[in-house]
Amino acid sequence: MSSRVQRIREVCRHSFPGGRKDDLHGRFFPSSVTVSAEDGLAWCRLGKVGTHAWSALFLLLRGVNPTQIQGIIERLETHSVLKEYYGRKPVEKLKILEENPRIFKFLVVRHPFERLVSAYRDKLERSTRFNEKYRGERLKMVEEKESGRETPSFAEFINYILKTEVWKMDKHWAPYSEVCKPC
């Protein structure tokens, strides 16, 4: 664990030689953080890295019945139910984190390429009621508009990401540093 913390410090020092810290009011952060001050935990949620499983653990901390949690996961309601139990305004979250430096803050990561494949398959390749909002985004990614295809190829998805400014990206494929602000 200490080698990971040391690695993060090195990367942050290299990225911000003057010691500058990330602006903590970003597009995703601090909204992406689940704070459980009572349990001394703060988890930064990153799309496509096991958020349903981690959400289930946080719901267990609030005494939600495991059978209930299983149903919540099956109905893909994990994130909305988590907000019911941990719904704080972003400003409140920052205040709690600043006033309680002993809170254990963590994020869970996945290999970036695996995460991109998962995001592509889940949000673009499949069409469900939960990812219908990506329809317009999918159409922007298709390079051959006259083809009539609505779903981009994986290569088109990657090209779209490479051309998109980081601050405009969707949270499911935005870089970890944009969503969680580890520096």
Side-chain angles (χ1 to χ4, degrees):
M1 180 74 117
S2 64
S3 64
R4 289 183 184 195
V5 171
Q6 185 177 354
R7 177 70 179 135
I8 290 170
R9 286 185 181 137
E10 287 172 18
V11 169
C12 291
R13 202 173 14 257
H14 176 75
S15 300
F16 305 109
R20 187 192 119 224
K21 294 195 180 237
D22 281 339
D23 176 13
L24 293 181
H25 296 280
R27 181 168 166 220
F28 305 114
F29 189 89
S31 298
S32 57
V33 178
T34 298
V35 177
S36 178
E38 307 83 6
D39 300 300
L41 296 171
W43 162 51
C44 185
R45 297 180 315 279
L46 288 161
K48 311 315 306 165
V49 295
T51 53
H52 290 288
W54 280 97
S55 295
L57 292 172
F58 271 76
L59 291 173
L60 283 171
L61 288 174
R62 289 293 164 264
V64 179
N65 180 304
T67 307
Q68 258 185 297
I69 293 173
Q70 185 176 357
I72 290 166
I73 292 171
E74 288 169 4
R75 292 186 304 276
L76 298 176
E77 297 172 347
T78 319
H79 303 314
S80 59
V81 174
L82 189 70
K83 286 178 186 172
E84 290 175 24
Y85 286 90
Y86 295 94
R88 289 190 166 106
K89 290 182 170 37
V91 176
E92 291 175 55
K93 292 177 186 185
L94 283 177
K95 186 176 183 199
I96 290 168
L97 294 174
E98 288 170 2
E99 291 176 355
N100 299 284
R102 297 194 64 126
I103 286 179
F104 181 74
K105 299 172 239 5
F106 70 100
L107 58 113
V108 179
V109 297
R110 180 179 192 176
H111 190 286
F113 295 137
E114 289 180 11
R115 182 172 174 242
L116 288 175
V117 170
S118 179
Y120 173 77
R121 288 183 174 153
D122 185 46
K123 303 298 177 196
L124 303 171
E125 202 172 54
R126 281 189 235 147
S127 185
T128 69
R129 66 184 171 106
F130 294 102
N131 62 21
E132 187 54 35
K133 68 180 183 178
Y134 293 97
R135 187 172 190 278
E137 203 75 10
R138 286 195 309 257
L139 293 172
K140 286 186 218 170
M141 294 177 194
V142 175
E143 292 171 359
E144 298 172 22
K145 306 291 184 214
E146 64 281 348
S147 70
R149 288 184 298 121
E150 288 191 9
T151 302
S153 66
F154 185 70
E156 288 172 323
F157 170 59
I158 296 300
N159 283 334
Y160 176 80
I161 288 173
L162 292 172
K163 291 185 232 172
T164 304
E165 295 176 69
V166 173
W167 61 273
K168 290 183 178 178
M169 289 185 183
D170 181 84
K171 65 183 173 186
H172 295 93
W173 50 80
Y176 298 142
S177 59
E178 187 67 18
V179 179
C180 288
K181 308 284 189 182
C183 291

